[in-house]
Amino acid sequence: MAKERLAIVGGDAAGMSAASSARRRDPDLEIVAFERGPYTSYSACGIPYFVGGLVEDADRLISRSPDEHRANGIDVRTRCDVVAIDLGARRLTVRSAAGEEAQEPFDQLVVATGAEAVPPPIPGAEAIEPAQTVDAAQRLRAALERGGRTGRNAVVIGAGYIGLEMAEALVDRGLNVTMIEMAAQVMATLDADMAEHAQDAAEGHGVRVVLGAAVEEIVLDEAGAPVAVRTAEDRFEADHVVIGTGSKPAVKLAEAAGLRVGDSGALRVDDRQRCPGHDGVFAAGDCTESHHRVLGSDVNIQLGTHANKQGRIAGINATGGDDRFPGVIGTAVSKIFRYEIGRTGIGEREAQQAGIEVVSATIKDRTRAGYYPGAGPIWVKLVAAPDSGRLLGGQIVGVEGAAKRIDVLATAVWAGLPVHELALLDLSYAPPFSGVYDPLLIAARATAKLL
Amino acid sequence: MAKERLAIVGGDAAGMSAASSARRRDPDLEIVAFERGPYTSYSACGIPYFVGGLVEDADRLISRSPDEHRANGIDVRTRCDVVAIDLGARRLTVRSAAGEEAQEPFDQLVVATGAEAVPPPIPGAEAIEPAQTVDAAQRLRAALERGGRTGRNAVVIGAGYIGLEMAEALVDRGLNVTMIEMAAQVMATLDADMAEHAQDAAEGHGVRVVLGAAVEEIVLDEAGAPVAVRTAEDRFEADHVVIGTGSKPAVKLAEAAGLRVGDSGALRVDDRQRCPGHDGVFAAGDCTESHHRVLGSDVNIQLGTHANKQGRIAGINATGGDDRFPGVIGTAVSKIFRYEIGRTGIGEREAQQAGIEVVSATIKDRTRAGYYPGAGPIWVKLVAAPDSGRLLGGQIVGVEGAAKRIDVLATAVWAGLPVHELALLDLSYAPPFSGVYDPLLIAARATAKLL
């Protein structure tokens, strides 16, 4: 009998996690991974730090190179574009960098095609390469190091967490940065009251934040380089333009092959990362849906942490294992200038949109005992079910030491703890880490009072 | 009808929390609090930082002064020693600083007498004042500032977390510090393998750590000032001696009055902080037992966080409310030189002592993404039930950002999450805060593999 063959489409976190876990479980399996770009297993989350110069060398962002994967017995084909999947014949059509097409058979398949940037539909946007991959980030950084016409002005379009992280990177490079956001607040994943603190942090470091403004054009010079960004009311000079208007799951290839796409726009999978109706076909990472345990619906959340877990599970199940992905609760964290920002579960706005009735309280406190050096502000907002008091979500903004507390709330949301129980939970205390009542306990008590 | 009168014995965290919550609930109640020392509501946990000079002014350690409490309608009597409680007649015998005794009636009583240092039973120990109160800490700091014979050498007896925090304070003051500990490890609340990292941190900052050595004498000069500390095998020159050999619940007064003391040596209370068999009599804080939810037994854990919660609950229940203290799980955190150290639930040693079978795994990881500046080591040890996989405890040592993760484990222990569920929990990820798998997830997976 010929060897079984596992093919993987996409060589980043989800795909290579699948390849690696399959390799560990089955040393005889033939494993081939096709990646469009030159790199595998890189940290897209690290790109802003490379652009800003906090991370000097792009290689640091690569957790495992193609050659390292090859040494592990995984046949990695970089610069190879999978252009078609034939689920019936169980083969891929793959186009090499030289433009040659070949047929590649598979027994099991993992689709890990990730996400693709959604540029704003305006003139000039086509000239701006999204800095989503390591090679694109290298080109952006080279451009920043060369400078532009004046070398001093940058515009970031979109004020989500990636836009904000990129704004910080550009400030770190000494540029004057303007952020333009269509919505009335930065960071749409936060409630407006909490997002204001993130905006304060950006403005406090000199970023000009323009809200409620739709970009109409990226003005280019004859060479196709950016000159300015134009909204209905303003024009902002821009030697450099960074687009951070989000990404959508890259599902065209899989959809054309007949895999189902859910309401979120991402591939449907069950809790074993299987594509329903297609034996031996799995999907994982940014291109897939995940079950949201609080909302009770399927969502698309593009995060490396999910991609790694789902990829591993796909690899386990593709090799005869039986592992399940338990779903997500929307936990995320980022560092935005002087503040750390975390969120988990649902916020007030999401609750309203989902028709879930909630109570909510926000408190302001200090990250350390008041007398301990380095204490700074922390805001904690909790959202709970009005009947049971069950914690449904939390948002945290504050100075160093604030954000990782979101994991405590994530654990409480996950376990279904009510806020009145959280208010008396045995959390740690010492002056370098909190006041005698941790801010989370204070927030839980404030919320419990509303029940 | 005359006003009801609530008397409180002890004016620190538990006592004044009780007074304050009773005041909020009942504006008409007469509330009197008797405190032996000159201060109320101070942070004993902050004393090492005041001794070391990180906190310049002792007043910063006082969260609410006697006058502030008085302005809140609480009759605070400082420098007043309660020498007897007559539960039948419902009155206290109180001795003033001038030595005069008076009878003070009460309707409800809260006993919050705290803990008292247990000096080693050796010659010379009587000359060393324990630095447990703000005024004692002021005297110690004054002595350090004056210097000693040479002004250069200090010995800390006892290597628990307070001993280690005091050692750091003395190093901060430029002293040569030797720690002498009878046990074979520092920090008895940690398993030996985790305690080694704390010892490394102390030694890495120049502290000489002497383990397995019983102190036999504190050698004094004619004036009663320390000269040296002598063990069976060595003699250590010492201009200053700090004793950190622990404290015991201060229960003599309450026990003499007929209140029950449990196996832990602390006052027995029910989950409403009531002293069983005595209506209207409550106890809270370091002098009481707490129910340990993992061990299933009653323990004495002296921590400001419990004292504050229990005091508040006592005050609520003393004024006709019905609030319950849900118990503890042994969560604690401290900063020891370059490492942060946290623990919750039970460790391997405690499990063994309690006859609880466990599995345990320890992992070493980094606090941030490897490429992000400031990443450093973190060790996570988990202890779980071998059948259910339920998390029973965790210990964490690591650089900045490590220790507050213990609250995630505390929440998981509290909620009874199994390690295989924890391993896939939706914890936050961004490069400044962790690798793509948080160290807690990695530790949970390592532990789950043992099931």
Side-chain angles (χ1 to χ4, degrees):
Chain A
M1 200 179 81
K3 271 188 182 179
E4 292 265 298
R5 190 179 211 229
L6 167 64
I8 288 162
V9 186
D12 197 8
M16 298 320 293
S17 288
S20 301
S21 72
R23 176 81 301 150
R24 269 193 301 276
R25 286 177 44 87
D26 186 346
D28 297 325
L29 184 69
E30 191 178 334
I31 304 176
V32 57
F34 302 97
E35 164 57 36
R36 183 180 291 181
Y39 297 110
T40 52
S41 304
Y42 61 87
S43 171
C45 324
I47 284 175
Y49 313 113
F50 168 71
V51 170
L54 202 59
V55 175
E56 195 43 54
D57 185 355
D59 286 347
R60 299 288 313 271
L61 302 184
I62 315 292
S63 70
R64 206 175 274 192
S65 70
D67 280 341
E68 288 171 305
H69 282 297
R70 286 176 195 128
N72 190 30
I74 297 164
D75 179 6
V76 177
R77 317 269 183 91
T78 50
R79 303 186 195 274
C80 274
D81 219 354
V82 176
V83 294
I85 302 172
D86 186 334
L87 292 173
R90 293 191 104 67
R91 67 175 178 232
L92 309 174
T93 305
V94 180
R95 187 182 296 148
S96 70
E100 287 163 10
E101 288 195 357
Q103 303 295 312
E104 294 282 354
F106 63 83
D107 297 289
Q108 289 82 33
L109 178 70
V110 175
V111 177
T113 42
E116 57 199 7
V118 183
I122 52 165
E126 71 287 352
I128 311 298
E129 184 186 30
Q132 275 201 313
T133 59
V134 172
D135 39 323
Q138 287 173 313
R139 286 186 286 272
L140 170 60
R141 186 160 130 169
L144 292 170
E145 284 169 352
R146 275 195 310 273
R149 280 178 319 143
T150 72
R152 301 205 46 239
N153 299 310
V155 168
V156 178
I157 303 174
Y161 77 94
I162 291 177
L164 282 159
E165 287 173 0
M166 290 300 279
E168 184 167 355
L170 298 169
V171 168
D172 285 351
R173 292 213 162 264
L175 291 160
N176 301 324
V177 180
T178 301
M179 293 196 81
I180 306 176
E181 166 63 46
M182 201 170 355
Q185 67 169 75
V186 304
M187 291 196 88
T189 53
L190 295 181
D191 285 336
D193 52 338
M194 297 297 279
E196 274 181 19
H197 307 303
Q199 183 180 340
D200 284 350
E203 290 175 341
H205 276 72
V207 176
R208 177 175 178 186
V209 179
V210 181
L211 298 174
V215 173
E216 300 193 334
E217 184 188 358
I218 299 170
V219 183
L220 308 174
D221 65 14
E222 306 82 49
V227 171
V229 171
R230 202 172 49 70
T231 64
E233 308 202 328
D234 275 303
R235 179 190 155 103
F236 303 92
E237 299 304 305
D239 304 294
H240 304 284
V241 174
V242 171
I243 296 181
T245 47
S247 332
K248 63 177 184 192
V251 298
K252 255 176 271 159
L253 175 72
E255 201 172 14
L259 297 179
R260 288 167 65 193
V261 170
D263 291 341
S264 72
L267 294 177
R268 298 198 61 174
V269 289
D270 67 11
D271 63 355
R272 292 176 173 83
Q273 302 301 134
R274 296 182 298 205
C275 298
H278 298 279
D279 273 2
V281 179
F282 302 82
D286 290 358
C287 64
T288 66
E289 292 191 325
S290 302
H291 183 69
H292 194 297
R293 293 165 65 105
V294 178
L295 288 172
S297 59
D298 293 333
V299 296
N300 174 246
I301 296 178
Q302 297 157 18
L303 279 180
T305 176
H306 305 322
N308 272 276
K309 289 174 190 154
Q310 292 172 347
R312 176 184 286 169
I313 289 169
I316 289 169
N317 293 337
T319 49
D322 184 25
D323 216 355
R324 296 181 191 207
F325 184 69
V328 302
I329 53 173
T331 312
V333 68
S334 34
K335 190 193 147 297
I336 305 293
F337 295 97
R338 74 180 187 278
Y339 285 153
E340 302 179 350
I341 297 169
R343 53 103 61 222
T344 190
I346 60 172
E348 269 190 300
R349 190 194 311 115
E350 281 166 296
Q352 201 166 24
Q353 286 164 354
I356 300 172
E357 205 190 332
V358 297
V359 295
S360 177
T362 304
I363 62 105
K364 183 182 179 187
D365 195 27
R366 309 271 290 171
T367 46
R368 305 175 177 205
Y371 56 79
Y372 196 92
I378 175 172
W379 292 265
V380 180
K381 178 173 188 173
L382 299 185
V383 161
D387 44 353
S388 62
R390 186 179 165 141
L391 184 69
L392 298 178
Q395 300 180 16
I396 299 176
V397 180
V399 299
E400 183 155 16
K404 258 300 194 179
R405 284 174 156 100
I406 202 69
D407 288 347
V408 179
L409 299 180
T411 307
V413 167
W414 190 278
L417 283 187
V419 285
H420 48 267
E421 193 168 344
L422 181 58
L424 289 168
L425 205 146
D426 187 2
L427 299 186
S428 61
Y429 158 63
F433 305 104
S434 73
V436 72
Y437 283 100
D438 190 274
L440 299 186
L441 301 180
I442 295 172
R445 192 147 53 97
T447 313
K449 278 186 185 163
L450 305 175
L451 300 175
Chain B
M1 201 178 82
K3 271 189 182 180
E4 292 265 298
R5 191 179 209 229
L6 168 64
I8 288 162
V9 186
D12 197 9
M16 298 320 292
S17 288
S20 301
S21 73
R23 178 79 303 152
R24 269 192 301 276
R25 286 176 45 86
D26 187 346
D28 297 324
L29 184 70
E30 191 179 333
I31 304 176
V32 58
F34 301 97
E35 164 58 35
R36 182 180 293 180
Y39 298 110
T40 51
S41 303
Y42 61 87
S43 172
C45 325
I47 283 175
Y49 314 112
F50 169 71
V51 170
L54 202 58
V55 175
E56 196 43 54
D57 185 354
D59 286 346
R60 301 287 313 271
L61 302 185
I62 315 292
S63 70
R64 207 175 272 192
S65 70
D67 280 342
E68 289 171 303
H69 283 297
R70 287 177 195 127
N72 191 29
I74 298 163
D75 179 7
V76 178
R77 316 269 183 91
T78 50
R79 303 187 194 273
C80 273
D81 220 354
V82 175
V83 294
I85 302 172
D86 186 334
L87 292 173
R90 292 191 105 67
R91 67 175 178 234
L92 309 175
T93 304
V94 179
R95 187 180 297 147
S96 70
E100 287 164 9
E101 289 196 358
Q103 303 294 312
E104 293 283 352
F106 63 82
D107 297 289
Q108 288 83 33
L109 178 70
V110 175
V111 177
T113 42
E116 57 198 10
V118 184
I122 52 167
E126 72 286 352
I128 311 299
E129 184 185 30
Q132 275 200 314
T133 60
V134 172
D135 38 325
Q138 287 173 313
R139 287 186 285 272
L140 171 59
R141 187 161 129 169
L144 293 170
E145 284 170 351
R146 276 196 309 275
R149 281 179 316 140
T150 73
R152 302 204 47 239
N153 299 311
V155 168
V156 178
I157 303 175
Y161 77 93
I162 291 176
L164 282 159
E165 288 173 359
M166 290 300 278
E168 184 167 356
L170 297 169
V171 168
D172 285 351
R173 292 213 162 262
L175 291 159
N176 301 324
V177 180
T178 301
M179 294 196 80
I180 306 176
E181 166 63 47
M182 201 169 358
Q185 67 168 77
V186 303
M187 291 196 88
T189 53
L190 295 181
D191 287 336
D193 52 338
M194 297 297 280
E196 275 181 19
H197 307 303
Q199 183 179 341
D200 284 351
E203 290 176 341
H205 277 72
V207 176
R208 178 176 177 185
V209 179
V210 181
L211 298 175
V215 172
E216 298 193 336
E217 185 187 357
I218 299 170
V219 183
L220 307 174
D221 65 15
E222 305 82 48
V227 171
V229 172
R230 204 172 48 70
T231 63
E233 308 202 328
D234 274 304
R235 179 189 156 103
F236 304 92
E237 299 304 306
D239 304 294
H240 304 285
V241 175
V242 171
I243 296 181
T245 47
S247 333
K248 63 177 184 191
V251 298
K252 255 178 270 159
L253 175 71
E255 201 173 14
L259 297 180
R260 288 168 65 194
V261 169
D263 291 341
S264 72
L267 294 176
R268 297 198 61 174
V269 289
D270 67 12
D271 63 355
R272 292 176 173 84
Q273 302 302 134
R274 297 181 298 207
C275 298
H278 298 279
D279 273 0
V281 179
F282 302 82
D286 291 357
C287 64
T288 66
E289 294 192 324
S290 303
H291 183 70
H292 194 298
R293 294 164 64 104
V294 178
L295 288 172
S297 59
D298 293 333
V299 297
N300 174 247
I301 296 179
Q302 298 156 19
L303 278 180
T305 177
H306 304 323
N308 272 277
K309 290 174 189 154
Q310 292 172 348
R312 176 184 288 169
I313 289 169
I316 288 169
N317 294 336
T319 49
D322 183 25
D323 216 354
R324 297 182 189 204
F325 184 68
V328 301
I329 52 173
T331 312
V333 68
S334 34
K335 191 194 145 298
I336 305 294
F337 296 96
R338 74 181 187 277
Y339 285 153
E340 302 180 351
I341 297 170
R343 54 102 62 222
T344 190
I346 59 172
E348 268 191 300
R349 189 193 311 113
E350 281 167 297
Q352 201 167 24
Q353 285 163 356
I356 300 172
E357 204 190 331
V358 297
V359 296
S360 176
T362 303
I363 62 105
K364 183 182 179 188
D365 196 27
R366 309 272 288 173
T367 47
R368 306 175 178 207
Y371 55 80
Y372 196 91
I378 176 172
W379 291 266
V380 180
K381 178 174 188 171
L382 300 185
V383 160
D387 44 354
S388 62
R390 186 179 165 140
L391 183 69
L392 299 178
Q395 300 180 15
I396 298 177
V397 180
V399 299
E400 182 154 16
K404 258 299 194 180
R405 284 175 157 100
I406 201 69
D407 287 347
V408 180
L409 299 181
T411 307
V413 167
W414 190 279
L417 283 188
V419 285
H420 48 268
E421 193 167 346
L422 181 58
L424 289 169
L425 205 146
D426 187 2
L427 299 186
S428 62
Y429 158 63
F433 305 104
S434 73
V436 71
Y437 283 101
D438 191 275
L440 300 186
L441 301 180
I442 296 171
R445 191 147 54 95
T447 313
K449 278 186 185 162
L450 305 174
L451 300 175

